[in-house]
Amino acid sequence: MQTVLLLTCATWYALSVHAQSSLYGQCGGIGWAGATTCVSGSVCTVLNDYYYQCLPGAASASNPITTSAPTTTPAGGSPVSSSTASAPSSAPSASCSDLPTNPGPLRLVGVNIAGFDFGCSTDGTCTASGAWPPLLQYYGADGAGQMQHFVEDDGYNVFRLPVGWQFLTNNVLGGDLNETNVAEYDALVQACLATGASCIIDLHNYARWDGEIIGQGGPTNEQFAAIWTSIATKYASEDKIIFGVMNEPHDIPDIDTWGQSVQAAVTAIRQAGATTQLILLPGNDYTSAEEFISNGSADALNVVTNPDGSITNLVFDVHKYLDSDNSGTNAECVTNNIDDAWEPLTQWLRCNGRQAFNTETGGGNTASCETYMCQQVTYQQQNSDVLLGYVGWAAGNFMNTYVLSETPTESGSTWTDAALVSACMAPK
């Protein structure tokens, strides 16, 4: 069996290297066994040690891979050829699928600070008593210290603060904000704002309340709008607040009807006086970046507008993990998501004049995840005109033994980052 396997692998490799990668496909890098040449009109360009990509341009016969350009270090710490910053003079004329010229750094990079979402299940069942504030005064982790470290030592500038809807109203659907519970959550929000970072208020309910879907047999759009009216009224004057309408909707029977529920939330937020902050619009299939177009989320959310009819600061919320089943539950990573998810999505975004924000991504603190995450980060950096950034999952109250832990370890006044954060995810 071993001999047959070796021969099979050798045959596959021999065939694969004679194929050609498509425009924006991978063409080299450490561990790459696929095609190493590109289709006509593109050149194999070194983005980092692990990922060479076919970019618009023409390669010379003597030097088909661009390796001599100076390098810079983007978010994630992986060197990127400066030749990718602008299209070569021989590149095809610009179109909505072309890489941008000088896209600039990613706008927002950070980590989730989990704890207030504890007690929530994917069916939207959240028990208020299950929430565990990631703050020392509530006997949780030092979330405030973590965020300060991430900003000062790692260069992060955004934190996502997941919270259950039930916690905010103390398990009363349609109820007002519970003063005691909201004071605890606001303590985390204020700790976040004190760092100078942007802070995402993320309603972590999977488009549900106790198993029933918003606007489709469960909470009404009016009840959904009401909770967002209350939240937005409280934070309307904070320009660093970002409103995450809903975490990971899934198994939504009617995506267009879900779009109407999202519209109700957007209208409520804007009419509450939060007129300029970013609002994140989530799609179906656990807000999958890979399925965003094919499952109808792109079209359904593309018609959501501000009350004045504009789409200013309305950004699509997407997630993407790197493990074998895209669940974010496995320590090993098997993909950089570029061909299946990010490339189709970035083209759609560019062609439709929209932007997206990857608010959940991550992997184990393993060599495979360092390899693939570095590649994903580099790709997002190269497409920062339409991809605002990424937020890793997760720190806060997760122990260091958690499979996707990004929780730093504190020793005295020193914080030590998880391996994946150090290798790929921290901008510094």
Side-chain angles (χ1 to χ4, degrees), residues 234-255:
K234 183 174 181 63
Y235 296 107
S237 63
E238 296 285 357
D239 60 0
K240 289 295 186 73
I241 290 291
I242 298 171
F243 300 102
V245 165
M246 180 55 60
N247 176 69
E248 294 190 346
H250 64 89
D251 299 293
I252 304 298
D254 189 325
I255 190 61

PDB file of all heavy atoms in Angstrom, residues 234-255:
ATOM      1  N   LYS A 234     -28.277  54.060  23.402  1.00  0.00           N
ATOM      2  CA  LYS A 234     -27.266  54.131  24.459  1.00  0.00           C
ATOM      3  C   LYS A 234     -25.903  54.537  23.919  1.00  0.00           C
ATOM      4  O   LYS A 234     -25.145  55.255  24.586  1.00  0.00           O
ATOM      5  CB  LYS A 234     -27.171  52.777  25.174  1.00  0.00           C
ATOM      6  CG  LYS A 234     -26.193  52.754  26.344  1.00  0.00           C
ATOM      7  CD  LYS A 234     -26.266  51.442  27.086  1.00  0.00           C
ATOM      8  CE  LYS A 234     -25.297  51.422  28.267  1.00  0.00           C
ATOM      9  NZ  LYS A 234     -25.618  52.455  29.282  1.00  0.00           N
ATOM     10  N   TYR A 235     -25.581  54.103  22.699  1.00  0.00           N
ATOM     11  CA  TYR A 235     -24.228  54.322  22.165  1.00  0.00           C
ATOM     12  C   TYR A 235     -24.206  55.237  20.934  1.00  0.00           C
ATOM     13  O   TYR A 235     -23.215  55.260  20.200  1.00  0.00           O
ATOM     14  CB  TYR A 235     -23.591  52.978  21.823  1.00  0.00           C
ATOM     15  CG  TYR A 235     -23.380  52.097  23.029  1.00  0.00           C
ATOM     16  CD1 TYR A 235     -24.175  50.970  23.247  1.00  0.00           C
ATOM     17  CD2 TYR A 235     -22.397  52.402  23.976  1.00  0.00           C
ATOM     18  CE1 TYR A 235     -23.994  50.160  24.361  1.00  0.00           C
ATOM     19  CE2 TYR A 235     -22.206  51.607  25.088  1.00  0.00           C
ATOM     20  CZ  TYR A 235     -23.005  50.490  25.282  1.00  0.00           C
ATOM     21  OH  TYR A 235     -22.817  49.706  26.400  1.00  0.00           O
ATOM     22  N   ALA A 236     -25.257  55.997  20.729  1.00  0.00           N
ATOM     23  CA  ALA A 236     -25.365  56.814  19.518  1.00  0.00           C
ATOM     24  C   ALA A 236     -24.233  57.833  19.379  1.00  0.00           C
ATOM     25  O   ALA A 236     -23.821  58.165  18.267  1.00  0.00           O
ATOM     26  CB  ALA A 236     -26.719  57.533  19.492  1.00  0.00           C
ATOM     27  N   SER A 237     -23.699  58.301  20.491  1.00  0.00           N
ATOM     28  CA  SER A 237     -22.672  59.343  20.434  1.00  0.00           C
ATOM     29  C   SER A 237     -21.258  58.785  20.363  1.00  0.00           C
ATOM     30  O   SER A 237     -20.291  59.558  20.275  1.00  0.00           O
ATOM     31  CB  SER A 237     -22.789  60.260  21.657  1.00  0.00           C
ATOM     32  OG  SER A 237     -22.545  59.527  22.860  1.00  0.00           O
ATOM     33  N   GLU A 238     -21.112  57.465  20.394  1.00  0.00           N
ATOM     34  CA  GLU A 238     -19.782  56.836  20.373  1.00  0.00           C
ATOM     35  C   GLU A 238     -19.405  56.459  18.945  1.00  0.00           C
ATOM     36  O   GLU A 238     -19.918  55.495  18.389  1.00  0.00           O
ATOM     37  CB  GLU A 238     -19.771  55.579  21.260  1.00  0.00           C
ATOM     38  CG  GLU A 238     -20.002  55.842  22.736  1.00  0.00           C
ATOM     39  CD  GLU A 238     -18.779  56.445  23.417  1.00  0.00           C
ATOM     40  OE1 GLU A 238     -17.731  56.609  22.749  1.00  0.00           O
ATOM     41  OE2 GLU A 238     -18.878  56.760  24.611  1.00  0.00           O
ATOM     42  N   ASP A 239     -18.483  57.212  18.369  1.00  0.00           N
ATOM     43  CA  ASP A 239     -18.156  56.950  16.966  1.00  0.00           C
ATOM     44  C   ASP A 239     -17.306  55.704  16.783  1.00  0.00           C
ATOM     45  O   ASP A 239     -17.166  55.204  15.659  1.00  0.00           O
ATOM     46  CB  ASP A 239     -17.463  58.157  16.324  1.00  0.00           C
ATOM     47  CG  ASP A 239     -16.153  58.534  16.998  1.00  0.00           C
ATOM     48  OD1 ASP A 239     -15.745  57.864  17.975  1.00  0.00           O
ATOM     49  OD2 ASP A 239     -15.533  59.518  16.548  1.00  0.00           O
ATOM     50  N   LYS A 240     -16.744  55.143  17.863  1.00  0.00           N
ATOM     51  CA  LYS A 240     -15.949  53.922  17.759  1.00  0.00           C
ATOM     52  C   LYS A 240     -16.783  52.650  17.960  1.00  0.00           C
ATOM     53  O   LYS A 240     -16.249  51.551  17.939  1.00  0.00           O
ATOM     54  CB  LYS A 240     -14.807  53.944  18.783  1.00  0.00           C
ATOM     55  CG  LYS A 240     -13.687  54.945  18.467  1.00  0.00           C
ATOM     56  CD  LYS A 240     -12.965  54.553  17.181  1.00  0.00           C
ATOM     57  CE  LYS A 240     -11.764  55.432  16.900  1.00  0.00           C
ATOM     58  NZ  LYS A 240     -10.633  55.157  17.788  1.00  0.00           N
ATOM     59  N   ILE A 241     -18.088  52.806  18.141  1.00  0.00           N
ATOM     60  CA  ILE A 241     -18.955  51.648  18.253  1.00  0.00           C
ATOM     61  C   ILE A 241     -19.358  51.169  16.860  1.00  0.00           C
ATOM     62  O   ILE A 241     -19.681  51.969  15.977  1.00  0.00           O
ATOM     63  CB  ILE A 241     -20.222  51.968  19.075  1.00  0.00           C
ATOM     64  CG1 ILE A 241     -19.862  52.180  20.550  1.00  0.00           C
ATOM     65  CG2 ILE A 241     -21.279  50.876  18.933  1.00  0.00           C
ATOM     66  CD1 ILE A 241     -19.418  50.916  21.277  1.00  0.00           C
ATOM     67  N   ILE A 242     -19.309  49.850  16.674  1.00  0.00           N
ATOM     68  CA  ILE A 242     -19.789  49.203  15.445  1.00  0.00           C
ATOM     69  C   ILE A 242     -20.944  48.288  15.848  1.00  0.00           C
ATOM     70  O   ILE A 242     -20.845  47.572  16.843  1.00  0.00           O
ATOM     71  CB  ILE A 242     -18.669  48.389  14.772  1.00  0.00           C
ATOM     72  CG1 ILE A 242     -17.516  49.311  14.358  1.00  0.00           C
ATOM     73  CG2 ILE A 242     -19.196  47.617  13.556  1.00  0.00           C
ATOM     74  CD1 ILE A 242     -16.275  48.565  13.876  1.00  0.00           C
ATOM     75  N   PHE A 243     -22.024  48.322  15.089  1.00  0.00           N
ATOM     76  CA  PHE A 243     -23.194  47.533  15.425  1.00  0.00           C
ATOM     77  C   PHE A 243     -23.220  46.247  14.601  1.00  0.00           C
ATOM     78  O   PHE A 243     -23.397  46.280  13.381  1.00  0.00           O
ATOM     79  CB  PHE A 243     -24.469  48.338  15.196  1.00  0.00           C
ATOM     80  CG  PHE A 243     -24.536  49.601  16.033  1.00  0.00           C
ATOM     81  CD1 PHE A 243     -24.265  50.844  15.484  1.00  0.00           C
ATOM     82  CD2 PHE A 243     -24.846  49.534  17.380  1.00  0.00           C
ATOM     83  CE1 PHE A 243     -24.308  51.996  16.248  1.00  0.00           C
ATOM     84  CE2 PHE A 243     -24.893  50.678  18.165  1.00  0.00           C
ATOM     85  CZ  PHE A 243     -24.627  51.924  17.603  1.00  0.00           C
ATOM     86  N   GLY A 244     -23.038  45.102  15.275  1.00  0.00           N
ATOM     87  CA  GLY A 244     -23.103  43.801  14.625  1.00  0.00           C
ATOM     88  C   GLY A 244     -24.517  43.252  14.760  1.00  0.00           C
ATOM     89  O   GLY A 244     -24.886  42.702  15.800  1.00  0.00           O
ATOM     90  N   VAL A 245     -25.316  43.404  13.721  1.00  0.00           N
ATOM     91  CA  VAL A 245     -26.751  43.156  13.783  1.00  0.00           C
ATOM     92  C   VAL A 245     -27.087  41.775  14.344  1.00  0.00           C
ATOM     93  O   VAL A 245     -27.997  41.623  15.161  1.00  0.00           O
ATOM     94  CB  VAL A 245     -27.378  43.352  12.386  1.00  0.00           C
ATOM     95  CG1 VAL A 245     -28.773  42.768  12.306  1.00  0.00           C
ATOM     96  CG2 VAL A 245     -27.410  44.838  12.043  1.00  0.00           C
ATOM     97  N   MET A 246     -26.343  40.742  13.940  1.00  0.00           N
ATOM     98  CA  MET A 246     -26.661  39.387  14.427  1.00  0.00           C
ATOM     99  C   MET A 246     -25.516  38.444  14.103  1.00  0.00           C
ATOM    100  O   MET A 246     -25.000  38.437  12.989  1.00  0.00           O
ATOM    101  CB  MET A 246     -27.949  38.868  13.780  1.00  0.00           C
ATOM    102  CG  MET A 246     -28.378  37.480  14.204  1.00  0.00           C
ATOM    103  SD  MET A 246     -28.577  37.232  15.993  1.00  0.00           S
ATOM    104  CE  MET A 246     -29.847  38.438  16.403  1.00  0.00           C
ATOM    105  N   ASN A 247     -25.145  37.629  15.070  1.00  0.00           N
ATOM    106  CA  ASN A 247     -24.125  36.619  14.846  1.00  0.00           C
ATOM    107  C   ASN A 247     -24.695  35.392  14.134  1.00  0.00           C
ATOM    108  O   ASN A 247     -25.693  34.809  14.560  1.00  0.00           O
ATOM    109  CB  ASN A 247     -23.525  36.162  16.182  1.00  0.00           C
ATOM    110  CG  ASN A 247     -22.533  35.031  16.001  1.00  0.00           C
ATOM    111  OD1 ASN A 247     -21.455  35.212  15.454  1.00  0.00           O
ATOM    112  ND2 ASN A 247     -22.911  33.832  16.444  1.00  0.00           N
ATOM    113  N   GLU A 248     -24.109  35.019  13.052  1.00  0.00           N
ATOM    114  CA  GLU A 248     -24.254  33.729  12.366  1.00  0.00           C
ATOM    115  C   GLU A 248     -25.685  33.219  12.188  1.00  0.00           C
ATOM    116  O   GLU A 248     -26.041  32.153  12.704  1.00  0.00           O
ATOM    117  CB  GLU A 248     -23.402  32.670  13.070  1.00  0.00           C
ATOM    118  CG  GLU A 248     -21.925  32.964  12.960  1.00  0.00           C
ATOM    119  CD  GLU A 248     -21.031  31.823  13.419  1.00  0.00           C
ATOM    120  OE1 GLU A 248     -21.532  30.891  14.075  1.00  0.00           O
ATOM    121  OE2 GLU A 248     -19.824  31.862  13.098  1.00  0.00           O
ATOM    122  N   PRO A 249     -26.514  33.930  11.439  1.00  0.00           N
ATOM    123  CA  PRO A 249     -27.791  33.332  11.036  1.00  0.00           C
ATOM    124  C   PRO A 249     -27.534  32.023  10.286  1.00  0.00           C
ATOM    125  O   PRO A 249     -26.537  31.896   9.575  1.00  0.00           O
ATOM    126  CB  PRO A 249     -28.390  34.385  10.099  1.00  0.00           C
ATOM    127  CG  PRO A 249     -27.716  35.659  10.489  1.00  0.00           C
ATOM    128  CD  PRO A 249     -26.327  35.278  10.897  1.00  0.00           C
ATOM    129  N   HIS A 250     -28.424  31.056  10.452  1.00  0.00           N
ATOM    130  CA  HIS A 250     -28.253  29.788   9.739  1.00  0.00           C
ATOM    131  C   HIS A 250     -29.607  29.128   9.532  1.00  0.00           C
ATOM    132  O   HIS A 250     -30.559  29.373  10.278  1.00  0.00           O
ATOM    133  CB  HIS A 250     -27.309  28.851  10.485  1.00  0.00           C
ATOM    134  CG  HIS A 250     -27.822  28.409  11.827  1.00  0.00           C
ATOM    135  ND1 HIS A 250     -28.613  27.289  12.000  1.00  0.00           N
ATOM    136  CD2 HIS A 250     -27.663  28.938  13.073  1.00  0.00           C
ATOM    137  CE1 HIS A 250     -28.918  27.142  13.277  1.00  0.00           C
ATOM    138  NE2 HIS A 250     -28.353  28.138  13.959  1.00  0.00           N
ATOM    139  N   ASP A 251     -29.684  28.297   8.490  1.00  0.00           N
ATOM    140  CA  ASP A 251     -30.911  27.560   8.189  1.00  0.00           C
ATOM    141  C   ASP A 251     -32.121  28.488   8.130  1.00  0.00           C
ATOM    142  O   ASP A 251     -33.184  28.190   8.663  1.00  0.00           O
ATOM    143  CB  ASP A 251     -31.128  26.445   9.212  1.00  0.00           C
ATOM    144  CG  ASP A 251     -29.992  25.429   9.198  1.00  0.00           C
ATOM    145  OD1 ASP A 251     -29.858  24.713   8.191  1.00  0.00           O
ATOM    146  OD2 ASP A 251     -29.224  25.382  10.178  1.00  0.00           O
ATOM    147  N   ILE A 252     -31.929  29.616   7.470  1.00  0.00           N
ATOM    148  CA  ILE A 252     -33.004  30.596   7.303  1.00  0.00           C
ATOM    149  C   ILE A 252     -33.873  30.170   6.119  1.00  0.00           C
ATOM    150  O   ILE A 252     -33.366  30.068   4.996  1.00  0.00           O
ATOM    151  CB  ILE A 252     -32.428  32.005   7.068  1.00  0.00           C
ATOM    152  CG1 ILE A 252     -31.491  32.413   8.212  1.00  0.00           C
ATOM    153  CG2 ILE A 252     -33.556  33.013   6.894  1.00  0.00           C
ATOM    154  CD1 ILE A 252     -32.141  32.500   9.559  1.00  0.00           C
ATOM    155  N   PRO A 253     -35.150  29.923   6.316  1.00  0.00           N
ATOM    156  CA  PRO A 253     -35.985  29.426   5.217  1.00  0.00           C
ATOM    157  C   PRO A 253     -36.097  30.406   4.052  1.00  0.00           C
ATOM    158  O   PRO A 253     -36.088  29.993   2.888  1.00  0.00           O
ATOM    159  CB  PRO A 253     -37.356  29.204   5.880  1.00  0.00           C
ATOM    160  CG  PRO A 253     -37.060  29.062   7.337  1.00  0.00           C
ATOM    161  CD  PRO A 253     -35.878  29.946   7.597  1.00  0.00           C
ATOM    162  N   ASP A 254     -36.219  31.697   4.350  1.00  0.00           N
ATOM    163  CA  ASP A 254     -36.439  32.700   3.307  1.00  0.00           C
ATOM    164  C   ASP A 254     -35.426  33.824   3.491  1.00  0.00           C
ATOM    165  O   ASP A 254     -35.556  34.653   4.392  1.00  0.00           O
ATOM    166  CB  ASP A 254     -37.868  33.240   3.389  1.00  0.00           C
ATOM    167  CG  ASP A 254     -38.233  34.124   2.204  1.00  0.00           C
ATOM    168  OD1 ASP A 254     -37.349  34.841   1.710  1.00  0.00           O
ATOM    169  OD2 ASP A 254     -39.406  34.089   1.782  1.00  0.00           O
ATOM    170  N   ILE A 255     -34.412  33.842   2.631  1.00  0.00           N
ATOM    171  CA  ILE A 255     -33.334  34.813   2.790  1.00  0.00           C
ATOM    172  C   ILE A 255     -33.802  36.228   2.497  1.00  0.00           C
ATOM    173  O   ILE A 255     -33.323  37.195   3.102  1.00  0.00           O
ATOM    174  CB  ILE A 255     -32.118  34.434   1.898  1.00  0.00           C
ATOM    175  CG1 ILE A 255     -30.908  35.309   2.243  1.00  0.00           C
ATOM    176  CG2 ILE A 255     -32.471  34.517   0.435  1.00  0.00           C
ATOM    177  CD1 ILE A 255     -30.427  35.172   3.669  1.00  0.00           C
TER     178      ILE A 255
END
